[in-house]
Amino acid sequence: QALAWHSAVVGGGAEHCQALALMQRNRYTEAAPLLDTCGQNKSLQNSFRAQLWDQAGNAWLLAEDAGRADVSFSNALLYSPGHVEILADRARARAMRKDWNGADADLSAALVRDADRADLLVLRASARHAAGHKAEARKDIDTALGIFPNYGDALVERGAMKYEDGDVR
């Protein structure tokens, strides 16, 4: 239906519809470039362009192409600077590429805007731990558990850190 709509009336709405349909069918490598193309439409409001680039980035992540995801998320941030969720998404892409410092920077920027996000603290702890910044990682885990004492992801990450340090009790 999206293809028929696109043939009848050329426009971003049809392409967006087609991309979302492809996403539903798990055809991420086909959907992602369509969403990138939609984000390039200068006639759209900046906030909507940011959403389209963010959707493209997530499609690229699902397609396991973290490099392209990073580019799409960076484009989204041009139109919605400092958006917490987009920063978190780009941090995930950077972590997939083992760019621990980039992931840390994005998560730190997100936490400036929303300091009580235990999930972001755990993600940053993971990045910091992977980068060898173990004391900072532990501090993030402690802060996350201070916000949400029974947060499973924080408890697992803390356990992994302790196990790595030889604490098996």
Side-chain angles (χ1 to χ4, degrees):
Q1 288 176 336
L3 289 172
W5 178 21
H6 184 62
S7 296
V9 181
V10 177
E15 287 175 339
H16 188 225
C17 179
Q18 180 184 5
L20 295 178
L22 288 167
M23 290 286 293
Q24 287 296 313
R25 299 181 64 78
N26 301 328
R27 292 168 59 182
Y28 309 119
T29 56
E30 295 171 69
L34 282 174
L35 290 163
D36 277 333
T37 299
C38 291
Q40 294 171 12
N41 185 340
K42 294 179 181 176
S43 69
L44 300 173
Q45 291 181 355
N46 286 347
S47 61
F48 188 55
R49 290 181 77 185
Q51 289 176 23
L52 291 166
W53 286 111
D54 188 45
Q55 289 175 359
N58 279 297
W60 286 121
L61 281 180
L62 290 167
E64 298 181 7
D65 191 333
R68 287 183 177 171
D70 192 327
V71 171
S72 295
F73 292 132
S74 294
N75 285 328
L77 288 165
L78 292 174
Y79 297 99
S80 188
H83 190 285
V84 172
E85 297 306 325
I86 299 171
L87 284 165
D89 286 342
R90 187 170 70 176
R92 288 185 305 127
R94 291 179 170 182
M96 282 179 69
R97 293 179 28 239
K98 298 188 184 338
D99 174 5
W100 308 121
N101 292 329
D104 185 339
D106 282 345
L107 292 164
S108 293
L111 285 160
V112 165
R113 289 166 176 74
D114 194 351
D116 292 331
R117 290 280 302 270
D119 60 326
L120 299 183
L121 285 160
V122 172
L123 289 174
R124 187 172 71 176
S126 242
R128 288 179 167 180
H129 186 251
H133 306 292
K134 293 181 180 185
E136 292 174 336
R138 282 189 204 96
K139 183 178 176 189
D140 279 349
I141 292 298
D142 291 342
T143 303
L145 289 170
I147 295 166
F148 188 9
N150 295 316
Y151 188 40
D153 290 347
L155 293 169
V156 167
E157 188 68 27
R158 183 177 68 181
M161 288 179 197
K162 285 184 174 194
Y163 183 79
E164 183 180 288
D165 289 340
D167 183 353
V168 294
R169 38 184 177 100

